[in-house]
Structures are given as structure tokens and as C-alpha cells.
Amino acid sequence: MPKESAERIEAAIHAAEARTRAELVAVVAAESDDYAYVALALAALLGLAAPFPFSLGLIEAGAPVVHAAALGVAVLVMAFGRVDAVRRAVVPKSLMRRRAARHARAQFYEQRVRMTRDRAGVLLFVSVFEHHVEIIADEAAAAAVPEAVWREAVDAFVQALRANGPEAGFHAAIAILEEALAEHLPGDANDKDELPNRLIIL
């Protein structure tokens, strides 16, 4: 993500936190898994299947050719399996959702979102490869803001992300959460900035 985009997201977080005691943390991950094991499994399966035309007599060839065909298919599948478009096509969507969701929850703890004084931390997370968005709120923030607002923020995040990329997604979600958090968890003179406002890029 360009430096200017990251700085604009940081400015939006800073402005939002000036109105609330909640702490916002923005994390963008290029991907939540490399899914190499999926390509490996597919390569093994297709490599094992490659000799079948020879076994059925549909193609006449000696053992070296059969072995070379099996190896060649496996190598090609592994090579193409590194291409993002191919990975998205072959990796099950449910697996991508699970990996991205697990990554988001790991970041909730690694970025100390759960360690704020008022338990009012909020993680805004996007995993770009999986096109996965999550907003995870700590106890006080989750209890203070109606569930419908969290859903609205996620929906806005996803729509803006799809239309204009991660920066637009963060801005859309922050704008909604700023108003809700300012209303339900207003700031006061004793507020301290406990977590970094910068965009965390993984």
C-alpha cells in the first residue's frame, strides 16, 4: 500500500480516537496463508492420474515416458499453483475464510488490541488475497455499540474494498465507527493513546 494511503488511514484513526476512548487498530495482510499444501495435494493427485491414459492403452509409450508425464504434470501444477488467480480458483472458499478469520483473531492479540485500559480496543482487519474483512471489538466496545452498527461497518468496509481497494474500505468503516463510538464511548480529558495509530502492514 502506498505511503500516502497509510498516512491517510492513520490520520482518520487519529481523528476518530479524538472523539472516543476506544482504540482503533488497522491491519492489512497480503494473505493469511500461502496454501502451498493445496497445490501440493492437487499436484500429487493429477500426477498420479497422468499415467492412466497409458495404462488404459489410449497412448502407447514406454515406462520412462509415463514417469516423465506424471512428473511433468505434477511440476506444472505446482508452478501454476503459485499464480494468485489459480490459487483463488483451486483453494476452497471455506478454507480461505477460516484461515483469514484465524489470522484476524491472532492479530487481535498480537497487536495488543485486548490490552487497553477500558477494554475498548477495536481491530479493523483485511486480508487482501482472500478478500476477507473482519472487525473485532473488545468487551466494552462490543457491548456499547449496537450489533447492527458493527454489521453496517463490515458491509461498508467490504463494499468500499471491492470498489476502490483497502484504503477506501478502512475509511468507510472508520467513518461509521467514529460516530457510533463517539456516541456510546465518548472520550474525556484523561484519555491516553494506548495503541499505535499507524496502519500495520503484514
Side-chain angles (χ1 to χ4, degrees), residues 92-103:
K93 297 295 184 292
S94 59
L95 176 60
M96 288 196 287
R97 284 194 298 271
R98 289 197 302 273
R99 290 293 185 269
R102 185 174 69 179
H103 197 184

Side-chain angles (χ1 to χ4, degrees), residues 9 67 71 83 87 93 112 144 163 167 175:
I9 293 170
H67 293 155
L71 179 60
V83 177
R87 286 198 298 162
K93 297 295 184 292
R112 299 173 57 83
E167 181 186 352

